Amino acid sequence: MTTTTSPSRTVPARARLLAGCALPLLLGACGTSSDVPESSPTALSSDDAAAETDEPTTEDAAPTSAQTSEQDQTTEEEQTTEEQASQDDAEDRPDTWATFTAEPPPLAVEEGELDEDPRVLAVERFNEAFARAATADDPQDQDWLATLDEGGLEGLVEVFEEEFGRAYPGPLPFTPLQVTELEDGTWSVQGCMVTDGFSADPSRSDDGMTGLEVSSIEYSLVDDPGAEGDYLVEALYSGTINCSTTEVETRSW
């Protein structure tokens, strides 16, 4: 049995997605000449223009060599200041802007190693009771509710509410790979589950049990206050285990 300490949790396995509505972008179009109203102002007449004189136009004097030297010096100082600021900014930046965590390697668990673990047995009871309750379209099925922690009941019913009414040919297919005691005294059972393709909607002929999809799932368990040595499921989360090589056995009633 693998028993390690893991203080953190992952995000829920089936989080609800809220569809965001994009605000329309209002664009202003430039009018053409045909859009100009008849009352538009006419072009300025020559009387409105600035009066011309016979006096020659006075042009700006060309800069002297001394002024040119001062300007060049000022430009060099500004460039030096900008280069120094850029260098200081580069030194303040972290060497690594983003880190990427590689997917963990698959876990190797000997066959039957976790079969008798009481936490795994609690998960099996949950998986079977849920599949029967979902098939019967009965979220208040007492056998299923008996496997749940009272504090997590509302959240679990919400996670699975869309599954009730679907036909399950057997318990939720799940292969346990890791049992972990957490710092808060709860337990984590992680493994690989068939999360899609195992059940079917009886009202739809095109919704069959095909294309099984396997995902990493974590069960959070607490002690059963009514039975010493037993455990109840309080929540489900998406797991962190690599399920790429794990075979998940499906079982019929």
Side-chain angles (χ1 to χ4, degrees), residues 84-97:
Q84 184 63 40
S86 177
Q87 182 178 356
D88 293 342
D89 182 58
E91 292 177 354
D92 294 337
R93 295 174 183 172
D95 294 334
T96 303
W97 287 92

